[in-house]
Amino acid sequence: MKEISIYIHIPFCIRKCYYCDFTSFSNMNDKIPKYMKSLMVELDLYKERLRDYTIKTIFIGGGTPSAIEARYIYDLLGHLYKNFNIFKDLEVTIEVNPGTIDKEKVKIYKEAGINRVSMGVQSFNDSILKSIGRIHNKDQIYESYKLLRDEKFENINMDLMFGLPNQTLEEVLLTLEEAISLGVEHISHYSLILEEGTQFYNLEKKGKLNLPKEDKERLMYHKSTEFLVEKGYNHYEISNYALPNYECRHNLVYWELAPYLGVGLSSHSYMENMRFFNTSNILDYIEKLEGKLLPIEGEEAIDKSTEIEEYCILGIRKINGIDKEEFKKRFNVDIEAIYKDPIDKHTNRGLIIDNGKAIRLTKKGLDLSNLVEVDFLK
Amino acid sequence: MERIKQENIRNFSIIAHIDHGKSTLADRLIEETGMLTSREMQNQVLDNMDLERERGITIKLKAVRLVYKAKDGDEYLLNLIDTPGHVDFTYEVSRSLAACEGAILVVDSTQGIEAQTLANVYLALDQDLEIVPVINKIDLPSARPDEVKKEIEDIIGIDCEDAPLISAKDGLNIGDVLEAIVKHVPAPKGDPKAPLKALIFDSYYDSYKGVVCYVRVFEGTLKPGMEIQMMSTGKTYEVVEVGINTSKHVSVDRLEAGDVGYVTASIKNVKDARVGDTITDNNNPTEEPLPGYKKVVPMVYCGIYPAEGEDFNTVREALEKLQVNDASLVFEPESSAALGFGFRCGFLGLLHMEIVQERLEREFDLNIVTTAPSVIYRITKTTGEVLEIQNPSNLPPETEIASMQEPIVSANIMTPTDHVGAIMELCQNKRGKFLNMEYLEEKRVVLHYELPLNEVIYDFFDALKSKTKGYASLDYELKGYEESELVKLDILINGELVDAFSLIVHKDKAYERGRSIAERLTDVIPRHQFAIPIQAAIGSKIIARETIRALRKDVLAKCYGGDISRKKKLLEKQKEGKKRMRQIGSVEVPQEAFLTVLKYDENK
């Protein structure tokens, strides 16, 4: 049976952070019951199509999934287990924000079969947390973390950020140190991206954002990577680090261009050579599903050459790079037969290395990966 | 069609500053005379090229015939002749004014008279035209019609007491304008039986009819079947069709003295029907052509090259097509080490150059690269041989050059007195020779200068506009050649000489220009994985150096979960940008670099 992953989007938040441009709302709480019902209907509409699939991972993201009552999550997952084929070693992740969970909630998550928790920590520095629009403080990170450990959650990720306004290298490393000393199994360490429409973007345009200079930002990245690797974390994707065997299987699905179904507002799916995505209008979403219609807003057929380019763009993000044998197995052709020129070009420029087995980014390539990826496009 | 008698014909143009409402007024006149219904009217009927509309300027002139029943009960035939409005086209403006007896001067009642208006008013007065002032935009709260009227009386010295107060936008008092035309613009004179004298004031190529010439008949009669002669070339043709312009071409049996219309005679190229030329009857020729004909010669040259992935022959075909309609555009093939095969093209001036470039890109959907504009230099070699060089790359080695000459123009700069200081400083900076200053009235002067043309084509217009807030206007004509100390300035990117950037400059300006170009290239060339030195050199001597820092970061931290199309869009944008790059050695240079380095720097 084929494998598939499920992404479930929970678009509700207590407050929108200054850097965030994901589909999320802080003033739509009255829509929660209807929205959660719509999610179930949407899943039901895929029941036939997923008959021949086994669900391998589930990721509940947001927004802030922990901002809504835990019973919704429990019911939703229960619905999934009951109606779909489930892999016995299922990975189920939920994103939580410090300060939004309590003992009861965590207990329900456990009972719901969740076995991985991704905490939106971002920093252990209170003034930085405040300046990026987070609602929690450092103490709440510790409290929430303890609640999770008390309930025997054994696979915890922390999302952390660097390259933030007024942030120093020292602060970046201190934050990492705190996360490591707590013993988290996984760290996603993201460099700030200024997205159009966010508060930060607008401030930057007005020249009011004191961002670290490029060289300093790269130093943060390099030092962080060094530090994490030294502490036993395996650097396995541009921004991701894990203790051995704790790599996030759900995210690997994206990077390996394996099939996934996204349900919920504005979520994206990739299966059976189609990529499609849902509306980002919550009222439309609910209305469509009330009429038992899929809320799909757009779709694109992925032909073989597109699949190849996407496979490479995503695959090269992995530190181990693109495995040549797997490439050949999947596409029936050698990667060199298609991409000889870009491979030669970027090998000469020192951005990638071909060790015979795989093609991967060099240290320099990790800083300039877009230059490589652009040349994988047709 | 019943002929309207000569005394009921009025031939006129509209003179206005950009944005003062010329095209809108033209639309209203056409509407008011009932020639077109509102539904038929595309907005701004006269400017029908996209480019013109976008830039708000009229490039090629056209004529339209209106029939108006005046308050005196008579029907009048109004020929509206449109004029282009830029210094590059001064000659064409003067020819279309020459076809008229009067001109409507449109002045924005919120702005008053502006420099550019004045230049055209003087052109009109040169042609002895009757000026009919019209005060526009009186619907705006900031309108001050009385002040503006006084200003016109003071500056130009024409009576404004009865000037129509209108709003072309709202169609207010347009009838007053029509009445004023009938009343003040003189009827044409001329004898339909005299030997033919017809002035060509515009021409264009039509694939069915051949060249269509817009003409004003001054003497005699133009009829199909006649054998005509172009007086500047002596070439003869048989007239196929004569006609008038309403909303479309309407053929008529003849055009008589006083009439404005068109004539076709199986002419294959606009070069053979040049603006300003006189058409006469080959079997009964007039003794003297109409005055004022000039053969327009290109003053500015630049290289036009196909961009990456564009075909040389497609560019050639497009240039050929443009040339059919543009007698002043010339081109010939050339090649560049950096850019490959392309064309050296000659233009009337910078605006003409930019218009041709934009038309190639828009109308023909071509990707082109343009090199720095140049003028024609005269080089005397030590052997005594004299060369004319318009491509800096063709300059012989210094040791073979005995002397060099560059073109000098006589420039007239009209300005309010407030800006005289700034203009003098600018002209001095541009190696100008001050001749004298003339007071037009208390607050307005004309400065007469001699300027090297290569300074004028560099950034003079932009600098003049910026330093005088747009109040000064410039016109110039070639005066001749003068000895000058010139050097070839080369630009090296990453150690490699890029011939497309080479310039001939005065030796005293080389350092400043070299540094300014190097600085700008640092801004327009994107950062690469490695640091890129940009150098300016004269011969083997480096006179300026800048460095483009190496790119340290170009990575997306996050992949937006399953939203891969979003990441791909970003990459595709990046790739699209690369397509517009020209690979020079290992450096990717954006096509804009070749032109942006020449733009005026506000901060200088």
Side-chain angles (χ1 to χ4, degrees):
Chain A
M1 210 177 301
K2 293 176 279 186
E3 292 174 347
I4 195 163
S5 289
I6 306 283
Y7 174 80
I8 301 168
H9 191 70
I10 309 291
F12 306 102
C13 266
I14 293 166
R15 184 171 88 188
K16 193 148 185 123
C17 301
Y18 302 155
Y19 53 84
C20 171
D21 79 329
F22 281 92
T23 307
S24 63
F25 316 100
S26 54
N27 56 356
M28 287 276 186
N29 286 356
D30 57 319
K31 297 284 179 307
I32 295 173
K34 278 195 164 168
Y35 181 82
M36 297 309 291
K37 187 159 184 282
S38 305
L39 275 178
M40 294 219 200
V41 176
E42 191 183 3
L43 282 170
D44 288 342
L45 291 175
Y46 284 106
K47 216 167 142 177
E48 271 309 299
R49 235 172 121 179
L50 263 54
R51 182 183 290 279
D52 299 332
Y53 285 92
T54 304
I55 295 173
K56 176 179 153 184
T57 69
I58 299 171
F59 195 103
I60 306 169
T64 309
S66 58
I68 64 170
E69 283 176 51
R71 66 176 170 88
Y72 286 121
I73 304 291
Y74 183 89
D75 291 346
L76 189 67
L77 286 172
H79 191 77
L80 261 168
Y81 302 149
K82 208 170 92 194
N83 293 287
F84 295 86
N85 310 312
I86 305 290
F87 202 64
K88 67 175 187 326
D89 188 17
L90 178 73
E91 175 191 277
V92 188
T93 307
I94 187 166
E95 289 184 334
V96 308
N97 274 343
T100 61
I101 51 174
D102 52 29
K103 201 173 168 56
E104 191 56 26
K105 217 175 223 176
V106 173
K107 245 196 177 102
I108 299 173
Y109 288 164
K110 190 80 191 177
E111 283 163 20
I114 291 170
N115 52 26
R116 185 174 183 273
V117 176
S118 176
M119 295 177 72
V121 169
Q122 319 312 348
S123 169
F124 279 83
N125 179 314
D126 281 344
S127 71
I128 286 205
L129 285 170
K130 209 171 157 194
S131 72
I132 62 174
R134 300 295 293 181
I135 54 161
H136 67 263
N137 58 30
K138 180 177 169 178
D139 292 342
Q140 288 169 309
I141 302 172
Y142 283 107
E143 281 160 29
S144 298
Y145 184 77
K146 185 165 185 303
L147 286 174
L148 291 167
R149 288 300 195 207
D150 286 350
E151 232 21 82
K152 302 277 179 297
F153 278 97
E154 281 161 4
N155 186 354
I156 298 179
N157 165 61
M158 284 187 178
D159 275 349
L160 302 174
M161 290 178 87
F162 68 98
L164 295 170
N166 303 312
Q167 200 181 24
T168 61
L169 172 61
E170 200 184 12
E171 197 284 320
V172 172
L173 295 175
L174 275 175
T175 281
L176 286 175
E177 205 170 315
E178 300 234 25
I180 293 166
S181 65
L182 284 173
V184 289
E185 286 76 18
H186 190 285
I187 289 175
S188 293
H189 199 219
Y190 295 117
S191 176
L192 173 70
I193 306 178
L194 286 178
E195 300 288 1
E196 221 171 303
T198 61
Q199 287 214 40
F200 270 3
Y201 182 86
N202 297 330
L203 282 172
E204 164 69 6
K205 270 180 109 178
K206 290 184 202 148
K208 287 186 179 162
L209 213 56
N210 177 28
L211 294 173
K213 297 269 176 302
E214 197 178 71
D215 285 357
K216 207 169 147 195
E217 191 269 355
R218 280 298 93 186
L219 191 64
M220 288 175 179
Y221 180 70
H222 297 146
K223 290 283 175 201
S224 302
T225 302
E226 252 171 55
F227 184 56
L228 285 162
V229 169
E230 188 186 304
K231 295 290 179 184
Y233 288 84
N234 173 22
H235 187 197
Y236 73 103
E237 192 261 359
I238 290 178
S239 306
N240 286 281
Y241 308 81
L243 292 178
N245 302 319
Y246 281 98
E247 288 86 3
C248 175
R249 282 161 44 205
H250 186 85
N251 278 337
L252 282 166
V253 164
Y254 296 143
W255 300 323
E256 281 163 6
L257 206 66
Y260 54 89
L261 171 70
V263 293
L265 211 54
S266 73
S267 61
H268 287 245
S269 304
Y270 172 69
M271 56 187 292
E272 287 156 2
N273 299 320
M274 290 298 287
R275 191 182 292 301
F276 47 95
F277 62 96
N278 282 349
T279 171
S280 41
N281 179 322
I282 190 165
L283 301 176
D284 278 358
Y285 177 80
I286 292 170
E287 198 188 300
K288 277 265 165 54
L289 286 159
E290 273 170 356
K292 300 260 186 287
L293 293 170
L294 285 176
I296 292 176
E297 189 174 282
E299 57 178 24
E300 184 195 357
I302 304 297
D303 59 18
K304 188 174 169 191
S305 66
T306 309
E307 188 182 338
I308 290 176
E309 73 180 30
E310 292 186 351
Y311 183 83
C312 291
I313 289 167
L314 294 163
I316 201 77
R317 294 184 66 87
K318 293 182 293 173
I319 302 303
N320 287 337
I322 303 162
D323 189 288
K324 293 199 203 180
E325 217 164 283
E326 273 171 38
F327 185 95
K328 187 159 187 180
K329 214 159 80 191
R330 177 160 176 163
F331 299 110
N332 269 323
V333 57
D334 286 321
I335 187 165
E336 287 91 349
I338 299 172
Y339 288 125
K340 183 174 188 315
D341 287 351
I343 291 171
D344 287 352
K345 171 174 155 191
H346 293 295
T347 308
N348 289 334
R349 292 185 176 185
L351 296 186
I352 55 176
I353 275 185
D354 178 352
N355 65 5
K357 251 179 70 64
I359 291 162
R360 59 178 178 82
L361 294 169
T362 60
K363 185 174 172 223
K364 197 169 178 185
L366 287 170
D367 294 335
L368 299 169
S369 58
N370 286 348
L371 297 183
V372 179
E373 291 172 21
V374 159
D375 286 333
F376 283 134
L377 291 183
K378 282 171 294 191
Chain B
M1 198 182 289
E2 185 84 1
R3 276 196 67 82
I4 289 184
K5 46 187 193 286
Q6 198 184 53
E7 63 189 68
N8 281 11
I9 296 176
R10 300 291 182 268
N11 298 320
F12 70 102
S13 288
I14 305 178
I15 296 173
H17 187 76
I18 282 176
D19 295 338
H20 280 199
K22 178 166 97 172
S23 302
T24 322
L25 176 60
D27 288 354
R28 291 296 165 266
L29 292 178
I30 292 165
E31 257 178 358
E32 193 86 0
T33 49
M35 188 195 77
L36 293 175
T37 65
S38 299
R39 201 168 50 83
E40 283 171 336
M41 296 246 335
Q42 198 189 356
N43 253 343
Q44 305 201 347
V45 170
L46 287 181
D47 296 351
N48 60 15
M49 283 202 276
D50 284 351
L51 198 59
E52 290 182 8
R53 189 159 311 158
E54 245 167 69
R55 292 187 163 215
I57 51 172
T58 310
I59 301 159
K60 288 299 272 185
L61 42 100
K62 282 146 209 109
V64 65
R65 193 182 94 142
L66 316 169
V67 179
Y68 173 60
K69 193 164 172 130
K71 285 185 182 150
D72 62 13
D74 264 13
E75 271 205 338
Y76 288 84
L77 206 154
L78 311 183
N79 288 308
L80 164 55
I81 294 169
D82 201 16
T83 58
H86 188 276
V87 60
D88 284 359
F89 303 106
T90 302
Y91 172 70
E92 289 178 294
V93 175
S94 80
R95 291 309 84 204
S96 42
L97 291 175
C100 304
E101 276 78 29
I104 300 179
L105 168 63
V106 184
V107 182
D108 183 331
S109 60
T110 66
Q111 306 277 330
I113 291 203
E114 298 200 27
Q116 201 194 355
T117 328
L118 214 53
N120 283 342
V121 168
Y122 285 108
L123 276 177
L125 290 173
D126 276 353
Q127 305 290 335
D128 287 326
L129 300 197
E130 184 67 32
I131 309 280
V132 180
V134 167
I135 315 294
N136 193 16
K137 302 198 186 174
I138 58 154
D139 56 307
L140 296 179
S142 55
R144 38 182 185 89
D146 289 338
E147 272 173 61
V148 168
K149 276 183 177 177
K150 173 129 195 335
E151 207 177 291
I152 299 173
E153 288 179 347
D154 287 350
I155 297 178
I156 308 173
I158 49 176
D159 184 12
C160 283
E161 209 189 317
D162 300 328
L165 302 179
I166 68 160
S167 163
K169 192 176 90 221
D170 295 348
L172 187 67
N173 297 337
I174 302 303
D176 293 354
V177 180
L178 290 163
E179 284 297 320
I181 294 167
V182 168
K183 198 168 146 201
H184 298 298
V185 176
K189 297 191 187 76
D191 179 1
K193 295 193 179 66
L196 177 66
K197 266 188 209 211
L199 171 73
I200 303 178
F201 61 86
D202 192 16
S203 64
Y204 74 92
Y205 184 80
D206 178 287
S207 42
Y208 296 104
K209 297 180 174 176
V211 176
V212 177
C213 308
Y214 284 104
V215 294
R216 157 70 198 275
V217 182
F218 279 88
E219 298 285 350
T221 301
L222 194 55
K223 280 195 237 178
M226 247 174 109
E227 198 184 8
I228 52 167
Q229 186 202 115
M230 299 295 170
M231 292 187 76
S232 72
T233 59
K235 287 191 181 171
T236 60
Y237 303 92
E238 190 187 309
V239 174
V240 174
E241 182 184 329
V242 299
I244 53 169
N245 247 17
T246 59
S247 60
K248 54 182 190 293
H249 286 163
V250 177
S251 73
V252 295
D253 62 345
R254 66 190 192 273
L255 293 173
E256 285 186 359
D259 283 342
V260 171
Y262 69 88
V263 53
T264 67
S266 307
I267 304 168
K268 294 280 175 286
N269 196 306
V270 279
K271 280 191 174 145
D272 295 322
R274 286 189 182 262
V275 169
D277 201 355
T278 303
I279 299 176
T280 193
D281 183 346
N282 197 40
N283 298 316
N284 180 19
T286 176
E287 281 171 16
E288 281 285 315
L290 293 158
Y293 174 73
K294 273 200 296 195
K295 187 176 175 206
V296 183
V297 289
M299 297 236 260
V300 176
Y301 284 81
C302 79
I304 289 184
Y305 287 83
E308 212 81 51
E310 199 71 75
D311 184 39
F312 173 82
N313 284 317
T314 337
V315 177
R316 180 210 296 277
E317 279 161 27
L319 280 168
E320 276 166 359
K321 278 187 188 144
L322 283 182
Q323 200 182 36
V324 164
N325 257 326
D326 185 347
S328 35
L329 169 69
V330 300
F331 66 91
E332 60 180 44
E334 70 168 8
S335 71
S336 144
L339 300 175
F341 289 101
F343 300 91
R344 178 95 340 206
C345 305
F347 309 93
L348 295 177
L350 271 194
L351 180 80
H352 185 210
M353 178 176 106
E354 280 178 28
I355 287 166
V356 168
Q357 287 164 9
E358 286 199 41
R359 290 187 67 184
L360 287 173
E361 287 184 344
R362 282 192 205 188
E363 290 170 32
F364 297 92
D365 203 18
L366 294 177
N367 260 324
I368 53 164
V369 180
T370 319
T371 67
S374 167
V375 300
I376 300 176
Y377 298 96
R378 277 194 196 143
I379 316 291
T380 310
K381 291 177 77 171
T382 45
T383 58
E385 187 191 353
V386 179
L387 303 172
E388 292 210 329
I389 302 276
Q390 16 92 343
N391 182 348
S393 303
N394 297 340
L395 196 68
E398 217 185 319
T399 50
E400 293 175 21
I401 297 175
S403 67
M404 294 171 88
Q405 287 189 321
E406 65 175 329
I408 303 292
V409 296
S410 319
N412 305 316
I413 301 163
M414 218 172 298
T415 176
T417 45
D418 313 357
H419 302 301
V420 166
I423 292 173
M424 288 186 144
E425 196 190 323
L426 172 68
C427 289
Q428 194 169 358
N429 193 21
K430 298 292 178 192
R431 303 189 283 130
K433 191 160 96 196
F434 176 73
L435 299 178
N436 61 53
M437 180 164 84
E438 223 180 297
Y439 272 86
L440 295 170
E441 42 97 34
E442 200 189 328
K443 290 226 151 278
R444 199 172 287 268
V445 295
V446 186
L447 294 161
H448 299 283
Y449 266 94
E450 281 178 14
L451 285 160
L453 181 59
N454 86 349
E455 298 287 348
V456 176
I457 64 162
Y458 176 48
D459 60 4
F460 193 81
F461 286 121
D462 294 338
L464 187 67
K465 213 160 60 190
S466 143
K467 286 189 192 291
T468 65
K469 301 184 179 68
Y471 276 101
S473 70
L474 165 81
D475 67 89
Y476 61 81
E477 57 182 3
L478 191 63
K479 180 186 159 265
Y481 274 76
E482 280 180 16
E483 197 114 323
S484 181
E485 289 192 72
L486 301 163
V487 292
K488 179 163 162 258
L489 176 67
D490 291 321
I491 301 292
L492 289 82
I493 295 180
N494 208 22
E496 220 173 296
L497 192 151
V498 184
D499 59 358
F501 283 122
S502 294
L503 284 175
I504 292 175
V505 293
H506 192 265
K507 127 178 156 334
D508 295 344
K509 309 282 282 188
Y511 174 74
E512 182 199 319
R513 188 77 70 88
R515 200 182 49 190
S516 147
I517 291 178
E519 276 169 12
R520 284 164 202 224
L521 285 176
T522 351
D523 291 338
V524 294
I525 297 176
R527 289 157 68 206
H528 284 53
Q529 226 181 297
F530 43 89
I532 304 166
I534 309 280
Q535 294 158 299
I538 299 173
S540 56
K541 191 175 152 214
I542 303 294
I543 57 166
R545 182 194 161 105
E546 296 283 331
T547 305
I548 300 174
R549 286 186 306 124
L551 177 68
R552 303 297 299 277
K553 182 194 175 194
D554 190 2
V555 49
L556 263 188
K558 208 167 179 169
C559 224
Y560 310 111
D563 186 358
I564 284 151
S565 31
R566 180 160 167 188
K567 180 186 166 66
K568 252 175 80 176
K569 260 183 217 142
L570 290 170
L571 291 172
E572 264 153 16
K573 210 169 141 195
Q574 206 162 338
K575 191 177 173 91
E576 201 47 47
K578 279 183 124 180
K579 273 195 201 146
R580 297 192 58 86
M581 301 277 183
R582 200 77 211 201
Q583 187 85 28
I584 293 176
S586 50
V587 180
E588 281 160 349
V589 179
Q591 289 165 30
E592 302 90 83
F594 295 91
L595 203 60
T596 51
V597 292
L598 302 156
K599 298 272 172 171
Y600 175 61
D601 180 359
E602 292 272 355
N603 306 317
K604 207 162 60 186

